[in-house]
Amino acid sequence: MSMFNKKVSLYTAEQSRAIDELALERLNVSSNVLMQRAAQFSFDVALKYWPNMNSVSVFAGKGNNAGDAFLFARLAQDYGIRVQLFMMTDLSGLNEEAKLAYKKIDLSSVQKELSFSDISGDLIIDGLIGTGLRGAADGPYDEAIRLMNETNIPILSLDIPSGVNASTGAVVNDAVMADITTTFISHKIGLYVGKGRVHSGDIKMDSLGVPNALLSSFPGIELSLFEPAQLPPMAIDSYKNRQGHLLIIGGDEGMPGSILMAAEAALRSGAGLVTVATRAEHMSLLVSRIPEVMVAEADIEDLSKSYSKYDAILIGPGLGRNRWGKTLYEACLSWDVPLVVDADGLFWMAKEGRPVSDTVIVSPHVGEAARLLGVDSSLIEQDRIKSAKEIRDRFGAIGVVKGPGSVVFDHKKISICEHGNPGMATAGMGDVLSGVIAGFVVQKFADFEACLEIAVLLHSAAADEAAKDLGQRSLMATDVIRFLPRVMQGER
């Protein structure tokens, strides 16, 4: 289950700083009071997860993040824990709040280091940069991050792992690989998306006494969760045509598996009818594996006459990059039916470059998103949210940029998927997702945008449940299909 039991908003670094300033004004407290609360929360977390620690290695930069680290060090001293202190600057380089915090340390018992070569604590405290990162962590900061990561010592990062962009989750050079990140007052976008999600470890949040209502005037991005209540109950008089008819086009020579998984996922998601248009040699295999599916040879002339009977079309799984796939993709663009485009369908969308309508859903991973926008994939990683908006603006489509903290985008909002795990990095996972999306679209139980978001959440939540039973390393795409019913029924 998620650590959240209510809607959570995520904020940029700039918004987070503005929220902090508003909190100081409205609560009439000093910055050092909030620092003390942040340090106490972080220290309590450290005691809970590393109760036997006898020493800590504290890394401090020069801003408020360093102040949190200094106060953590003082709490550790009071508890009888030895402190090894690594500072990126002398006292004159600290800001005023950090100086006040530094002066609370009992320097007579601290082991103050001049180099990063001997990190000896049972726990590393990362207070190097925080949300103030601009560009890349470089120079001595980059060296400190590298040496911290090279140890086998667990790391607790304060507010956000140093080197992670709090607004985008991007990592330019390197970033601290935290086991736990304690964050304060507001949830930062960078903790939940892209590389930031990878580097943050387990995220522990404390409001530091700041009421949630104070954040309401800031337009954050929603961190979305799957709840079974998002799926309406089926009508007692429902029948297969009311549940919707989906056409899946794909499966070029040697690639029947993709459409097979997409078809089964669509049926498990509740689609009433699924027809697969594919190569003739794949038809018997499909029917033998999924007897509930209907099959047809992918003949453009026949499909052009019959497309109107379908409630949505999914094109791309196993479509291939030869003329056969290109011709089918081009034909789909002229049919007035909601369209889900994935896999090789996205290849042809990028290559042909033709704009599409607002009843099109795309589901690219980072490489496919880069191809759609004609840029290097590193640019997508720098700001996945910006890239999602650019895809929406360029193609008129809604969709999801897949990856850690998948970014779901439609014409009204952007949201981040809270579910998902590394075990999903395996063949066929995207085919299953596209099948779930299309399966929801044909059912029309919610508006077009909501069907997309709920499908993304369900798919990732099912992958998390499957990983609990099977482990992340052993997770396969077909395992996710098996767990869809369990998650939809709330069996988590």
Side-chain angles (χ1 to χ4, degrees):
M1 293 292 287
S2 167
M3 63 178 176
F4 304 114
N5 56 14
K6 60 183 178 180
K7 185 176 291 187
V8 171
S9 293
L10 309 179
Y11 300 95
T12 65
E14 292 74 19
Q15 289 174 319
S16 296
R17 285 192 285 272
I19 291 168
D20 292 352
E21 291 172 5
L22 184 60
L24 293 172
E25 176 188 333
R26 295 283 178 85
L27 301 180
N28 194 28
V29 296
S30 69
S31 179
N32 276 93
V33 168
L34 294 183
M35 277 186 186
Q36 188 65 54
R37 293 175 185 176
Q40 186 66 61
F41 172 69
S42 300
F43 186 68
D44 291 344
V45 169
L47 285 178
K48 178 179 179 180
Y49 289 92
W50 296 283
N52 298 319
M53 62 179 173
N54 294 309
S55 61
V56 291
S57 298
V58 177
F59 283 76
K62 57 185 180 180
N64 286 9
N65 200 232
D68 297 339
F70 293 142
L71 293 175
F72 184 104
R74 178 69 217 199
L75 290 169
Q77 288 180 319
D78 292 343
Y79 204 79
I81 295 171
R82 296 191 306 276
V83 173
Q84 183 186 35
L85 182 60
F86 297 85
M87 292 180 61
M88 306 304 292
T89 181
D90 58 21
L91 186 61
S92 65
L94 300 175
N95 71 15
E96 292 305 313
E97 289 81 5
K99 284 180 183 177
L100 289 173
Y102 175 77
K103 291 175 181 178
K104 294 187 178 181
I105 299 175
D106 179 3
L107 295 176
S108 66
S109 64
V110 73
Q111 181 182 341
K112 194 171 179 182
E113 303 289 356
L114 297 177
S115 71
F116 310 137
S117 58
D118 186 23
I119 305 172
S120 60
D122 298 320
L123 175 67
I124 294 172
I125 305 303
D126 164 31
L128 287 176
I129 303 175
T131 61
L133 178 69
R134 297 288 188 274
D138 53 15
Y141 286 91
D142 187 48
E143 181 187 359
I145 290 169
R146 178 179 58 81
L147 291 171
M148 290 161 70
N149 286 341
E150 287 177 355
T151 71
N152 292 318
I153 303 170
I155 302 174
L156 187 154
S157 286
L158 304 177
D159 218 12
I160 193 165
S162 295
V164 173
N165 186 301
S167 298
T168 65
V171 172
V172 179
N173 285 347
D174 199 0
V176 168
M177 188 65 75
D179 294 271
I180 292 178
T181 298
T182 52
T183 195
F184 321 115
I185 302 179
S186 59
H187 292 276
K188 288 75 182 174
I189 292 172
L191 292 172
Y192 296 94
V193 65
K195 295 289 186 182
R197 182 167 179 178
V198 175
H199 283 260
S200 298
D202 292 333
I203 301 167
K204 309 297 178 183
M205 163 49 164
D206 191 83
S207 67
L208 308 186
V210 177
N212 193 58
L214 188 143
L215 282 65
S216 61
S217 60
F218 294 85
I221 290 175
E222 184 179 344
L223 183 67
S224 298
L225 309 163
F226 177 78
E227 297 294 341
Q230 293 167 327
L231 301 175
M234 293 178 63
I236 197 167
D237 62 343
S238 192
Y239 50 93
K240 59 188 179 184
N241 291 97
R242 180 183 288 180
Q243 289 299 111
H245 193 170
L246 172 65
L247 172 65
I248 301 176
I249 302 175
D252 199 358
E253 294 173 350
M255 295 187 288
S258 297
I259 46 171
L260 190 151
M261 288 184 283
E264 185 175 358
L267 287 165
R268 282 294 183 198
S269 302
L273 296 162
V274 174
T275 295
V276 174
T278 186
R279 291 282 192 182
E281 59 264 33
H282 299 327
M283 292 165 61
S284 59
L285 170 64
L286 282 162
V287 174
S288 65
R289 285 288 302 273
I290 314 174
E292 297 88 349
V293 77
M294 295 177 285
V295 293
E297 188 169 358
D299 180 85
I300 289 178
E301 185 175 344
D302 290 342
L303 291 173
S304 296
K305 294 176 182 176
S306 62
Y307 73 85
S308 60
K309 73 179 182 181
Y310 301 108
D311 296 289
I313 297 171
L314 165 59
I315 185 165
L319 184 67
R321 301 181 179 183
N322 298 315
R323 182 170 179 78
W324 184 82
K326 177 184 178 182
T327 305
L328 287 165
Y329 168 75
E330 290 177 335
C332 279
L333 295 183
S334 64
W335 302 337
D336 187 20
V337 179
L339 187 65
V340 179
V341 185
D342 186 43
D344 287 329
L346 296 171
F347 170 83
W348 290 115
M349 181 180 285
K351 192 172 181 64
E352 297 305 302
R354 292 171 59 183
V356 295
S357 74
D358 58 4
T359 57
V360 172
I361 295 176
V362 295
S363 52
H365 54 57
V366 169
E368 291 164 338
R371 188 180 294 116
L372 286 172
L373 294 176
V375 299
D376 188 86
S377 59
S378 62
L379 291 179
I380 305 297
E381 292 284 16
Q382 285 181 20
D383 195 335
R384 288 173 178 242
I385 293 171
K386 178 183 177 183
S387 298
K389 293 176 180 177
E390 288 177 353
I391 291 171
R392 179 185 63 191
D393 295 343
R394 180 171 299 187
F395 295 96
I398 67 173
V400 53
V401 177
K402 299 178 291 192
S406 292
V407 179
V408 183
F409 58 97
D410 60 37
H411 299 296
K412 296 177 288 189
K413 68 172 187 174
I414 301 283
S415 63
I416 305 297
C417 175
E418 195 264 338
H419 309 290
N421 66 81
M424 298 173 73
T426 188
M429 200 64 69
D431 302 313
V432 173
L433 173 59
S434 64
V436 177
I437 294 172
F440 280 178
V441 169
V442 296
Q443 292 176 66
K444 303 176 185 176
F445 58 76
D447 61 39
F448 195 60
E449 290 84 359
C451 286
L452 163 67
E453 183 176 41
I454 297 169
V456 172
L457 298 176
L458 169 62
H459 174 259
S460 293
D464 287 347
E465 292 305 305
K468 290 178 184 177
D469 276 15
L470 304 169
Q472 294 180 1
R473 195 174 301 278
S474 297
L475 189 64
M476 297 194 305
T478 49
D479 297 324
V480 176
I481 299 173
R482 292 193 293 111
F483 277 81
L484 291 173
R486 181 184 299 186
V487 176
M488 284 191 284
Q489 294 178 76
E491 298 176 13
R492 292 194 277 164

